[in-house]
Amino acid sequence: MAKSATGKLPQTIEEGIGRRFWIKSRKAGTQALYTPFMVCLASGNLELDTFRHYIAQDVHFLRAFAKAYEMAEECTDDDDAKVGITELRKSVLEELKMHDSFVQEWGIDVAKESAPNAATVKYTDFLLATASGKVEGVKAPGKLATPFEKTKLAAYTLGAMTPCMRLYAFLGEELQALLDPSENPHSYQKWIDNYSSGAFQAVALQTEDLLDKLSVSLTGEELDIIEKLYRQAMKLEIEFFLAQPLAQKTVVPLLTEHNPAEHRLILFSDFDLTCTVVDSSAILAEIAIITAPKSDQNRPENQIARMSSADLRSTWGELSKQYTEEYEHCIEGILLSDKAEQFNYEGLRKALEQLSEFEKRANLRVIDSGVLKGLNVEDIKRAGERLLFQDGCTSFFQSVSRNEKLNTNIHVLSYCWCGDLIRSAFSSGGLDIMNIHANEFNYEESSSTGEIVKRVESPIDKVQEFTNILQNCDKDKKNLTVYIGDSVGDLLCLLEADVGILIGSSSSLRRVGSHFGVSFVPLFPGVVEKQKHVKNGSPSWKGLSGVLYTVSSWAEIHAFILGIHTYKLGGVFVSHSQLCSSLDFTSGSSVRNVNAILLADVPYVLRVPVAALMKI
């Protein structure tokens, strides 16, 4: 597995079900990476009491793992599988020995921390119940009559254990990639070294291989059961990380410091290829070509004159080729200037005026060509409803927009020629409240005239629209701005925002940005670096810093901004762990009791009114 420290899961060409399930769990892996506990651990400033509590809880996990391996070994009659399970059980016992060294090194009072918390119990009960045969669709343990049925139960057990092993191997490598040999030794170097080691990576792979071996003769329905067990185990593992009590300030989720009474979160996003899989111009071209008349068809008198489909296809091809060639020439012209030794926003803005003029000329060519004439507005809306979004994009915006108490404004800034296409695309996902800032078609009745109402054509137009939106906001609240984009046209807005997030891998954006001193930092390492400097104050996110944060998916954006489980406490949005550290019980209950109450979804808070606690 390649070391990346980006939150992006390594690619694989293997076809085993363990590896397939892991690739399908990329979102969960990202969620685990961005939990407050893991970010604090990665930064090295995780409070020792929290780490002590975590280790004490992990001991319960490992003991349950050892027992589950023992039960799985009893079920299988394959000699090679028995040997493999025995080796895996031994690796767990070795891990327990490592935890014993943690106990001595960090002064953990095992007696004091002996009781498992609710999250730990949920996973261990789930694991041991699975190993006992208490799985939907599986016979009771005493009724497993045939060797095949017993081997199937062993496969189910491995299905509930494999995700934990692979997740820890992934987390270990991601954290190891962040370590700088020139810095002081990391506070939790031993933990990171263990889970990033070749030995542990081999154990994770061995677990997956064994799952593959035990599952080779199972039916599709039985493999579906294993996948459900895999997903549930991953969910419970993330809940385990979330349940670790944190009393310290954390930079994740970004929403943590958001108080709706005082703050306003303003989310900005580009549309084409940031939110979508396909550029909107290609969609509009396809509508034009498909709905165009054939060359031998007569046009009704009251219909806007249109080119034939064959002529349209040819003209679109020529426009596209000319745009690409001139765009690349414009970028190369920008890069002919002297390279900036430090971040130079004004120089970049001036350079992008050249690109802005090019974009406007390109739009004029499209209008003059007549390729946008005669498109029916209903055809456009239907195409928008079917538009493919990047995975996780709509769910992120849904999570934000459906909670009015977040006091969040969402603005989409786009070069798209037709705002109707964007509005229908988001409406199909229940996102009618999105503020769309784009160009618009002119219509006669319901058909486009070929003219465009020009509103956002260039990088300069985009940043001006960005500025206007902020200037028109009420001054009664402090704004925190986040811009998400993917292209050179987004550069100025990305830099103006307090947090600029670059999704995708645009080489021209990186070349132009780097030429003017912009730094590109993978988001997870950037978050960890911020965490290193958080003490009593809030993390500092400021625009025009010259730093942009790169991500590989919307899942990263979601985990960073919203987190996983978020609560409202006394008007402030906090993470699960921060809520744990804020609660006070007259009975003197410990944090373990708090976790039990929260995970049972019972709002029991004595320091604040019960009504002040609201899970979102």
Side-chain angles (χ1 to χ4, degrees), residues 179-193:
L179 298 184
D180 186 346
S182 65
E183 295 181 351
N184 293 329
H186 193 283
S187 302
Y188 302 107
Q189 177 88 46
K190 189 173 182 179
W191 187 95
I192 296 173
D193 286 347

Side-chain angles (χ1 to χ4, degrees), residues 81-183:
K82 279 184 179 291
V83 171
I85 294 173
T86 299
E87 290 176 353
L88 291 173
R89 185 169 181 272
K90 287 179 180 178
S91 71
V92 171
L93 297 177
E94 288 298 317
E95 197 172 345
L96 276 168
K97 289 181 181 179
M98 180 191 72
H99 280 51
D100 288 341
S101 70
F102 288 155
V103 168
Q104 296 175 7
E105 185 174 344
W106 280 295
I108 299 171
D109 188 340
V110 177
K112 180 180 177 182
E113 299 286 354
S114 60
N117 67 25
T120 304
V121 170
K122 283 181 74 173
Y123 194 116
T124 55
D125 282 359
F126 159 75
L127 178 58
L128 295 178
T130 301
S132 299
K134 297 176 183 177
V135 179
E136 185 178 353
V138 179
K139 291 182 179 180
K143 298 179 182 179
L144 297 174
T146 67
F148 173 75
E149 288 174 339
K150 292 181 179 180
T151 298
K152 181 168 65 177
L153 179 55
Y156 290 160
T157 303
L158 266 291
M161 302 172 79
T162 302
C164 178
M165 301 300 292
R166 177 49 62 196
L167 179 61
Y168 267 80
F170 166 68
L171 295 172
E173 284 207 322
E174 290 295 310
L175 268 58
Q176 184 66 245
L178 300 180
L179 298 184
D180 186 346
S182 65
E183 295 181 351

Side-chain angles (χ1 to χ4, degrees), residues 357-393:
E357 292 303 314
F358 155 75
E359 294 285 3
K360 292 179 179 181
R361 289 195 304 271
N363 279 347
L364 281 175
R365 279 200 301 269
V366 171
I367 294 169
D368 292 343
S369 71
V371 293
L372 297 178
K373 286 183 178 181
L375 277 69
N376 184 278
V377 66
E378 295 304 320
D379 289 336
I380 292 170
K381 290 178 179 179
R382 279 192 291 271
E385 291 168 359
R386 299 184 179 96
L387 197 60
L388 291 178
F389 280 88
Q390 299 281 356
D391 186 32
C393 174

Side-chain angles (χ1 to χ4, degrees), residues 268-275 327 345 348 352 355-356 359 411-415 456 458-463 466 483-497 499-504 506 508-509 512 518 520 548:
F268 295 89
S269 178
D270 174 48
F271 183 67
D272 289 322
L273 304 182
T274 294
C275 294
Y327 175 83
Y345 178 82
L348 173 62
L352 289 182
L355 185 62
S356 295
E359 294 285 3
H411 297 268
V412 176
L413 277 59
S414 175
Y415 287 176
V456 184
S458 69
I460 301 300
D461 288 348
K462 268 196 176 185
V463 78
F466 176 94
Y483 190 98
I484 304 160
D486 76 304
S487 69
V488 174
D490 299 309
L491 250 179
L492 298 177
C493 293
L494 285 164
L495 291 163
E496 290 266 7
V499 184
I501 299 177
L502 172 61
I503 188 167
S506 169
S508 57
L509 182 148
V512 171
V518 177
F520 298 93
L548 298 182

Side-chain angles (χ1 to χ4, degrees), residues 69 150 235 263 360 439 529:
Y69 276 135
K150 292 181 179 180
K235 175 177 177 289
H263 306 142
K360 292 179 179 181
N439 306 297
E529 190 62 29

Side-chain angles (χ1 to χ4, degrees), residues 338-357:
D338 293 337
K339 185 174 172 46
E341 295 182 2
Q342 57 186 7
F343 176 51
N344 182 0
Y345 178 82
E346 292 305 321
L348 173 62
R349 181 166 182 147
K350 185 173 180 59
L352 289 182
E353 289 177 0
Q354 302 174 41
L355 185 62
S356 295
E357 292 303 314

